[in-house]
Amino acid sequence: MILVTGGLGMIGAHTARALADLGHQVVVTAHRRAEVPSFLPGRVTVETLDVTDRDAFLALAGRHRISDIVHLAGSIPGGDDPVGYFRRDMAGLLNALDAARTWTVRRFAVASSIGVYIGRPEIPWHEGLPLPAAHLPHLIVAFKKAVEPLVTHALHGTGVQPVLLRIGSTWGPLMDPESPFNPIPPYISAVLRGEEPPPLLADDGGDTCYAPDAGRAIALLMTAPNLRYDTYNVSSGRPFTYREVADALGAPVRSGGAGAHPYLDITRLTEDTGFKPEFDTAAAVADYVAWRSANPR
């Protein structure tokens, strides 16, 4: 059985669905979110868990035989308390690592971020690039950058394989439709309401990945017979522009934009798992619009 923490969030839920599609038993944890997405009931086991509670986390082994862990649970920083945010998410990470070591799971995957590459001038960004000591624009990126060496050191010599998931700019079903982290859902939401969408420049863009594709990529990394690396980019592997989104909706977009924005190279992911994205921009927009017709987010 594969454990997905944060398994009712956007990326977690799509990962859980993809794992179930591959024939695996899946248990997902959720803390504050209780609603199970329409594509998951009856397909996964849901455990209510605060991942910062070490005893409750380790007690999962008394109810499930867990072979692998995908740790996606996390919080959003709020207010002026960065230390509180770091303490909360670090406690969850360390408890997940304790579980991985105690249960001697096969693989332990953890969410990192495209943001770790900020400061590299190369396009596309690939896993072999040394990570720069750059000013980080958001606390989440700072934490994700710290997670990578913590996980590899914590699992060194245990027989548990770390899998660092450098996840790209993911969007899709279950994302906040007014998300401040990705402009695509708010743009589509405005169009669906018949309102003027927020301004986007046609030639801007960069990296993007539709959530079902991201979940399937992670599932393939968890189930591949062998992985040659500990670090994998998770995205579509191609650049996009906001013009593509606007064209798919028949909606307006402003001309201009800088162009040539960074995106993630997924050669490692493709070679080791056979992953290919199922959704281009037009197909992703169509699927998302259909989803939103029956779902609020």
Side-chain angles (χ1 to χ4, degrees):
M1 178 171 276
I2 299 176
L3 171 66
V4 181
T5 69
L8 297 186
M10 178 182 66
I11 297 176
H14 289 287
T15 299
R17 175 169 65 173
L19 287 166
D21 287 345
L22 291 171
H24 293 271
Q25 292 184 309
V26 183
V27 57
V28 304
T29 73
H31 181 32
R32 294 181 177 86
R33 182 170 293 174
E35 183 178 356
V36 180
S38 59
F39 52 77
L40 282 184
R43 306 194 68 201
V44 302
T45 301
V46 179
E47 288 274 3
T48 301
L49 176 71
D50 178 354
V51 295
T52 66
D53 184 334
R54 182 178 182 276
D55 290 340
F57 202 130
L58 293 176
L60 289 175
R63 299 189 292 277
H64 309 285
R65 296 185 63 181
I66 296 169
S67 59
D68 303 86
I69 298 174
V70 186
H71 182 56
L72 300 175
S75 61
I76 302 295
D80 297 317
D81 185 18
V83 173
Y85 162 69
F86 290 140
R87 179 180 294 114
R88 183 170 56 251
D89 276 28
M90 184 62 72
L93 173 66
L94 294 178
N95 289 340
L97 286 167
D98 259 348
R101 291 168 58 96
T102 300
W103 305 337
T104 318
V105 300
R106 185 180 66 123
R107 285 183 185 148
F108 179 91
V110 65
S112 183
S113 167
I114 186 176
V116 302
Y117 292 110
I118 290 172
R120 297 298 318 193
E122 299 87 351
I123 299 176
W125 285 334
H126 62 84
E127 298 93 337
L129 294 171
L131 301 186
H135 176 71
L136 300 173
H138 199 280
L139 290 175
I140 292 176
V141 176
F143 181 73
K144 299 299 187 187
K145 197 167 187 176
V147 159
E148 295 195 5
L150 292 175
V151 167
T152 52
H153 279 287
L155 298 179
H156 181 70
T158 64
V160 179
Q161 181 175 19
V163 184
L164 309 177
L165 306 167
R166 292 181 179 168
I167 300 172
S169 300
T170 304
W171 70 281
L174 304 181
M175 190 175 209
D176 178 0
E178 305 303 328
S179 172
F181 299 109
N182 191 306
I184 297 177
Y187 185 92
I188 295 176
S189 294
V191 172
L192 294 179
R193 292 192 300 266
E195 301 173 0
E196 182 177 350
L200 295 176
L201 295 179
D203 296 328
D204 278 346
D207 188 83
T208 189
C209 189
Y210 195 50
D213 276 336
R216 190 166 55 86
I218 295 170
L220 290 172
L221 284 167
M222 294 306 294
T223 58
N226 296 290
L227 295 178
R228 293 178 295 165
Y229 307 97
D230 291 341
T231 306
Y232 290 85
N233 289 339
V234 174
S235 196
S236 67
R238 59 173 291 272
F240 91 108
T241 65
Y242 292 120
R243 186 190 307 278
E244 297 174 34
V245 178
D247 287 348
L249 290 164
V253 67
R254 295 185 180 183
S255 61
H261 291 281
Y263 66 96
L264 293 179
D265 177 277
I266 61 167
T267 300
R268 281 188 183 182
L269 172 66
T270 299
E271 290 181 348
D272 280 12
T273 70
F275 171 79
K276 293 182 180 179
E278 292 183 352
F279 294 87
D280 60 14
T281 302
V285 169
D287 185 78
Y288 182 69
V289 168
W291 166 265
R292 286 289 305 280
S293 69
N295 298 274
R297 60 182 295 146

